[in-house]
Amino acid sequence: MTTMLESELICPECGHKTVEIMPEDACMYFFQCPQCSVVLKPVAGDCCVFCSYGSIHCPPIQKANKSGEKTGCCR
């Protein structure tokens, strides 16, 4: 199974949805909503905005889940 790189981010403030390409080797800690300009930050316990507000978890978490590794953040 391949790692998915597209994730739909949903702004918790205004509900705007946008499809973004996730970086494979880094966390995205902040994302500014293109509609309402709110800056999204990960919720406590998540490593990035994709894990908090995305339709797909970030690539490092996807890879860890596939391999059975236990991880709480991107490396």
Side-chain angles (χ1 to χ4, degrees):
M1 184 179 219
T2 61
T3 302
M4 299 181 74
L5 298 178
E6 283 189 3
S7 183
E8 182 178 59
L9 285 173
I10 302 170
C11 177
E13 206 55 39
C14 71
H16 180 75
K17 297 177 182 180
T18 182
V19 175
E20 298 292 324
I21 304 296
M22 298 181 280
E24 288 189 66
D25 58 352
C27 287
M28 186 181 270
Y29 298 111
F30 304 104
F31 178 81
Q32 186 171 16
C33 176
Q35 183 156 319
C36 72
S37 298
V38 162
V39 176
L40 305 181
K41 301 172 193 164
V43 296
D46 284 345
C47 61
C48 66
V49 293
F50 292 106
C51 289
S52 296
Y53 307 105
S55 59
I56 304 289
H57 289 294
C58 67
I61 295 296
Q62 290 179 55
K63 290 174 187 171
N65 288 341
K66 286 178 200 168
S67 69
E69 239 180 274
K70 296 206 188 291
T71 182
C73 67
C74 300
R75 292 184 227 150

